[in-house]
Amino acid sequence: MGWFWAEQEQKPTPRVGPRPSPNHPMSGSPPPSCPMHKSAPSDIPRNLRSSGGNAASDNDISPLNLMFSNLPQSRVPGQKNHLPTERETSSIPRGDSGLWEYPSPQQMYNAMRRKGYDDTPEDAVESMVAVHNFLNEGAWGEIVGWERRFGGGVLSALLDASEGDEVAERVGEREREGFPRLVRFQGKSREMTPKARMFQVLGRIYPEKFGGPPPFDRHDWYVLRQGGMEVRYVIDYYSAPPEPTGEPVFYLDVRPAVDRPSAILERVMVWGEDLWERASGADVRRAAAEKARRESS
């Protein structure tokens, strides 16, 4: 996950719905050899190593994503298979203008080799790229959901219930102007969030309810709102048992970072609504409807 975009197929089928505690699961899996499954220090540029053992210099690192600024499209020494060089454009607006672009399979492979993952199967890279892109699109979709509600501020969100069409117009105006926008991001796979640590502790006490593996990755995304305010979102990436059909499942826990008072209110408001949905059984009815929809499609 740490290599994300460089600068600017065959995809797993998406599925979205709630984890017992964090947010939304998505089908699709990286192969076992994918560095997503390893605790690589992708967020610590000084520790990144090339296959030759040389540390990446600070000049090689982009400040937007703490990744290599220059990911070539050429084959690396010893590469046997051809890898596509076409890059997919994301749906995610950049902080300046345009959309972010994902790395091509060749760039992804080059990045992994520079990080020291010399055992990565060349024939698995295209599926890694597809899952990588798919998960990040899902994460952005979650952020957009938060921003549609809170992009105008907490007070605006509190008043929204009584304003109807005016709310839709405000949200539409923000989106027409290209907000929210992703300014930059950081991979922090070695820094477990307080919430993830809490669930690990609860999992030891109540394994039936909270048990499960820790997140296999973490990202911090910095998002620009209309008006110039920059807010940080935290994303925990979880894996889960596969579907009966064999499709693996991921869970994304996406929420505003608690580094500003309004973020606390945003999370409390959403938590309260989720609690009411569970108490009223609305979440069960929605899950049943989603299951019926999938089975009929």
Side-chain angles (χ1 to χ4, degrees):
M1 296 299 299
W3 14 92
F4 208 52
W5 298 284
E7 276 283 333
Q8 289 207 68
E9 131 199 14
Q10 180 180 353
K11 290 190 177 181
T13 303
R15 184 177 68 80
V16 180
R19 178 185 187 267
S21 301
N23 294 356
H24 294 299
M26 308 176 69
S27 300
S29 175
S33 59
C34 178
M36 286 177 173
H37 290 304
K38 306 176 183 179
S39 57
S42 60
D43 50 311
I44 308 177
R46 298 176 193 276
N47 289 346
L48 298 180
R49 300 280 175 175
S50 69
S51 56
N54 297 319
S57 70
D58 289 343
N59 293 333
D60 292 334
I61 304 300
S62 167
L64 296 179
N65 53 14
L66 297 186
M67 271 306 302
F68 301 112
S69 298
N70 178 27
L71 287 177
Q73 295 277 23
S74 57
R75 290 193 180 196
V76 298
Q79 181 179 336
K80 298 178 181 178
N81 297 340
H82 168 76
L83 292 174
T85 58
E86 294 77 17
R87 294 170 60 183
E88 180 179 343
T89 301
S90 77
S91 66
I92 306 173
R94 291 173 59 98
D96 45 15
S97 61
L99 300 173
W100 287 89
E101 287 186 330
Y102 295 116
S104 69
Q106 183 65 62
Q107 288 177 312
M108 174 78 84
Y109 185 65
N110 290 350
M112 288 188 291
R113 289 290 298 270
R114 289 180 70 179
K115 285 172 176 283
Y117 296 112
D118 297 331
D119 59 344
T120 302
E122 296 174 17
D123 58 1
V125 175
E126 288 189 64
S127 61
M128 291 179 193
V129 171
V131 173
H132 166 277
N133 299 358
F134 164 64
L135 287 177
N136 287 306
E137 290 292 318
W140 182 248
E142 291 292 308
I143 289 174
V144 168
W146 281 92
E147 287 296 302
R148 280 177 177 160
R149 176 157 186 189
F150 298 108
V154 173
L155 180 59
S156 177
L158 288 170
L159 297 173
D160 280 354
S162 62
E163 294 186 353
D165 293 340
E166 294 181 21
V167 176
E169 178 56 32
R170 285 199 300 270
V171 171
E173 180 184 354
R174 291 198 295 266
E175 294 181 351
R176 285 192 296 272
E177 293 184 8
F179 293 97
R181 302 175 186 174
L182 179 60
V183 179
R184 64 188 188 280
F185 51 90
Q186 295 175 319
K188 294 186 175 182
S189 60
R190 286 190 168 183
E191 298 181 32
M192 189 177 293
T193 62
K195 184 176 180 180
R197 287 198 298 269
M198 180 188 70
F199 277 113
Q200 290 303 296
V201 172
L202 290 174
R204 299 189 191 101
I205 302 172
Y206 305 106
E208 298 82 6
K209 183 174 179 63
F210 296 102
F216 64 82
D217 202 0
R218 168 194 169 177
H219 278 186
D220 285 15
W221 289 15
Y222 295 81
V223 173
L224 182 67
R225 288 180 172 174
Q226 187 182 41
M229 182 180 182
E230 187 176 290
V231 295
R232 179 168 64 99
Y233 280 86
V234 179
I235 308 166
D236 284 325
Y237 296 82
Y238 292 86
S239 57
E243 293 274 23
T245 58
E247 288 183 329
V249 176
F250 297 110
Y251 291 97
L252 306 183
D253 188 5
V254 183
R255 68 274 187 195
V258 184
D259 53 9
R260 52 190 169 86
S262 57
I264 299 173
L265 294 175
E266 291 170 10
R267 291 174 67 163
V268 167
M269 288 172 66
V270 171
W271 175 79
E273 290 177 355
D274 290 345
L275 185 64
W276 170 250
E277 282 201 348
R278 290 195 295 271
S280 65
D283 59 332
V284 175
R285 293 192 295 273
R286 184 170 55 253
E290 174 64 16
K291 181 180 179 181
R293 186 191 64 79
R294 291 201 309 271
E295 291 176 348
S296 64
S297 60

